[in-house]
Amino acid sequence: MLDLPAFRYLRPTSLAAALTVLARPGARAYAGGTDLLPALAARGAWVRGVRTIVDVKALAEARGVARRRGGLRIGALTTAHALATDPHVVRLVPVLAEAARATGAPA
């Protein structure tokens, strides 16, 4: 079991709210925890001073694929499955769709 230091956990639902909180000293974005939670438990150097964890997974603005000015805008929280199946990605950047299909487990 992880022995985590005390921290505040916030889950904003708008990009503006998330950016406001993330601008505060000691705040770190959290979108999955693969690196952050183990580093906190191990008291890793890059997480010293973390006092607030800001869960950004609820931010719709950071998810999805959209056509923009002749290219694509891919949100930072867009899943590999979404990239592999999005019609714009499949048509315009097939190598990205192929790479996304080869990444991780389908679930």
Side-chain angles (χ1 to χ4, degrees), residues 5 7 12 15-16 24 31 37 39 44-45 49 53 56 60 63 68 75-76 79 87 90 99 102-103:
F7 58 85
L15 182 58
R24 298 178 190 161
L37 294 180
I53 293 178
V56 296
R63 193 175 311 283
R68 296 282 163 86
T79 64
V90 170
T103 301

Side-chain angles (χ1 to χ4, degrees), residues 19-78:
L19 292 174
T20 297
V21 175
L22 285 168
R24 298 178 190 161
R28 292 290 187 277
Y30 168 82
T34 303
D35 294 327
L36 179 61
L37 294 180
L40 282 170
R43 308 310 198 262
W46 69 275
V47 293
R48 285 195 189 109
V50 171
R51 294 185 298 278
T52 304
I53 293 178
V54 183
D55 185 340
V56 296
K57 293 184 298 257
L59 302 179
E61 301 96 330
R63 193 175 311 283
V65 177
R67 292 280 314 250
R68 296 282 163 86
R69 296 183 208 106
L72 297 177
R73 178 214 169 263
I74 300 172
L77 297 177
T78 303

Side-chain angles (χ1 to χ4, degrees), residues 79-85 99-107:
T79 64
H81 179 266
L83 288 175
T85 59
R101 282 191 296 276
T103 301

